[in-house]
């Protein structure tokens, strides 16, 4: 299986217990591909934001051994524009090139340390205004579940920590491994939409129809043209009502969502089959192989053949379940 990827989780004062355990739970389900260890800035126990403390087996010395560093969130009452000096100092022990991941308020520490300057990033939607006022040099996107910008990843609140850890597995080992991990953890391998669907907003009237059934229908018919009119017709709504309702529920436009689903399906087929690019394009609803190449490159910055070489090779090398 090759070298085991070492993940170090840095527990700070006021850490949220649920998110603290996400990296070990998710990455630990990847058949030994990752080793996960937890540390504090001084090796001592830390208080959680619940009614207990946690004791860890490691101190800051393990930070220099990390291939990936994860910063779980800490209580919002401890937020400050200038993060505690000892926490910022701990980050200096991390080797250059180490992948760094934050969950929720963990992004505040990264921003305070200057690690997000000029980068696109996210955090919990409820903290977006505060984050922007403190760190205008960061290109904050509060509408997404996570952002992958080079060797730094930031994610939104709570369950978004699961999303970003599954993304790490998918990026490192492909969709088949990530899907298996998701099944073991009994979580969806990919959540549609972004934080927009969780932001507080008026609840639709009880008699209003949703778009979930139409989304399910669209996923079963990705190979079809799926015009906006056909989607609205299936949902038995006017075009205007359908688009508004879809955005409320999913957090993006129907057209953008359809493209995302087609790209995701194409990625799975590139990883799990030997089908030609043009045939995959037809199966997922892109008119031509050129259209698939364009959309895949826009989504992840690589061509279908380059993607297949990377992830199909990784799947074959690791073996199938």
């Amino acid at each position: 299986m090759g070298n085991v990827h070492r993940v170090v989780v840095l527990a700070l004062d006021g850490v949220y217990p649920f998110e603290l355990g996400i990296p070990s739970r998710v990455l630990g389900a990847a058949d030994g591909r990752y080793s996960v260890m937890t540390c504090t800035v001084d090796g001592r126990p830390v208080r959680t934001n619940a009614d207990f403390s946690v004791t860890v087996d490691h101190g800051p010395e393990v930070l220099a051994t990390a291939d990936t560093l994860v910063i779980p969130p800490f209580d919002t009452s401890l937020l400050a524009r200038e993060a505690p000096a000892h926490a910022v100092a701990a980050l200096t022990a991390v080797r250059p090139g180490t992948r760094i991941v934050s969950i929720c308020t963990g992004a505040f520490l990264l921003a305070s340390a200057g690690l997000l300057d000029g980068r696109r990033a996210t955090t919990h939607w409820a903290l977006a205004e505060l984050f922007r006022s403190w760190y205008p040099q960061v290109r904050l996107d509060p509408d997404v579940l996570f952002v992958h910008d080079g060797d730094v990843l930031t994610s939104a609140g709570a369950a978004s920590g699961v999303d970003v850890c599954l993304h790490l597995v998918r990026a490192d080992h492909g969709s088949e491994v990530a899907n298996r991990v998701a099944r073991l953890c009994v979580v969806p391998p990919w959540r549609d939409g972004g934080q927009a669907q969780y932001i507080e907003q008026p609840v639709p009237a009880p008699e209003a129809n949703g778009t979930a059934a139409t989304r399910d229908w669209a996923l079963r018919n990705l190979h079809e043209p799926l015009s906006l009119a056909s989607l609205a017709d299936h949902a038995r709504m006017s075009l205007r009502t359908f688009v508004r309702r879809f955005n409320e529920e999913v957090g993006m436009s129907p057209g953008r969502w359809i493209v995302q689903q087609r790209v995701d399906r194409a990625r799975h087929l590139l990883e799990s089959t030997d089908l030609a690019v043009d045939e995959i394009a037809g199966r997922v609803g892109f008119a031509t192989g050129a259209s698939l190449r364009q959309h895949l490159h826009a989504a992840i910055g690589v061509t279908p053949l380059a993607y297949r070489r990377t992830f199909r090779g990784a799947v074959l090398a690791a073996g199938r379940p």
Side-chain angles (χ1 to χ4, degrees):
M1 186 170 296
N3 295 329
V4 175
H5 188 100
R6 175 168 288 189
V7 178
V8 175
V9 183
L10 177 60
L12 301 170
D13 289 331
V15 67
Y16 284 74
F18 172 72
E19 289 91 328
L20 176 64
I22 287 174
S24 179
R25 182 66 186 89
V26 175
L27 301 177
D31 299 328
R33 290 173 170 84
Y34 303 90
S35 67
V36 183
M37 55 180 58
T38 305
C39 74
T40 61
V41 295
D42 55 10
R44 297 176 181 175
V46 294
R47 290 289 304 177
T48 70
N49 80 320
D51 62 341
F52 58 88
S53 298
V54 293
T55 301
V56 300
D57 291 339
H58 306 284
E61 68 280 354
V62 299
L63 291 169
T65 71
D67 298 308
T68 293
L69 171 67
V70 181
I71 311 293
F74 47 89
D75 196 276
T76 55
S77 66
L78 300 175
L79 289 176
R81 185 170 187 171
E82 298 295 331
H86 63 277
V88 175
L91 298 180
T92 64
V94 178
R95 294 174 299 174
T98 298
R99 185 166 58 184
I100 300 178
V101 182
S102 71
I103 303 173
C104 193
T105 55
F108 280 77
L109 172 60
L110 300 187
S112 179
L115 296 178
L116 299 181
D117 289 359
R119 290 182 182 269
R120 181 169 167 260
T122 195
T123 189
H124 195 290
W125 62 264
L127 300 170
E129 185 176 349
L130 177 64
F131 190 97
R132 281 199 179 104
S133 69
W134 283 358
Y135 312 113
Q137 70 276 21
V138 180
R139 295 185 290 121
L140 184 70
D141 184 350
D143 294 332
V144 297
L145 297 176
F146 61 85
V147 170
H148 188 166
D149 187 333
D151 57 1
V152 177
L153 296 89
T154 51
S155 61
S160 297
V162 176
D163 296 319
V164 75
C165 284
L166 283 173
H167 174 73
L168 294 179
V169 178
R170 188 179 300 109
D172 292 344
H173 302 289
S175 292
E176 288 199 5
V177 176
N179 290 346
R180 185 165 67 246
V181 168
R183 288 194 296 271
L184 288 171
C185 295
V186 198
V187 295
W190 181 273
R191 286 196 293 161
D192 297 331
Q195 292 194 75
Q197 60 191 312
Y198 302 105
I199 296 175
E200 293 176 356
Q201 54 189 335
V203 178
E207 67 273 11
N209 294 322
T211 64
T214 297
R215 297 199 303 273
D216 289 341
W217 173 77
L219 289 174
R220 295 193 301 271
N221 293 276
L222 284 178
H223 58 286
E224 299 291 345
L226 295 180
S227 66
L228 183 57
S230 68
L231 294 171
D233 183 64
H234 182 274
R236 298 184 178 181
M237 299 179 189
S238 68
L239 281 174
R240 179 177 296 181
T241 298
F242 177 76
V243 171
R244 175 176 57 80
R245 193 70 48 72
F246 197 99
N247 272 282
E248 289 174 351
E249 296 177 7
V250 180
M252 66 177 71
S253 70
R256 180 182 170 192
W257 182 83
I258 289 291
V259 169
Q260 183 183 86
Q261 305 312 309
R262 285 173 167 159
V263 168
D264 289 345
R265 184 75 58 81
R267 289 172 66 176
H268 175 73
L269 292 174
L270 286 167
E271 295 174 17
S272 60
T273 75
D274 294 317
L275 295 173
V277 170
D278 285 348
E279 185 171 355
I280 291 176
R283 290 195 180 196
V284 303
F286 289 125
T288 64
S291 179
L292 169 56
R293 292 181 186 92
Q294 177 185 352
H295 286 292
L296 187 69
H297 192 275
I300 58 176
V302 298
T303 66
L305 292 181
Y307 185 85
R308 170 171 273 165
R309 280 196 302 268
T310 299
F311 291 105
R312 177 74 167 153
V315 169
L316 292 174
R320 298 189 178 226

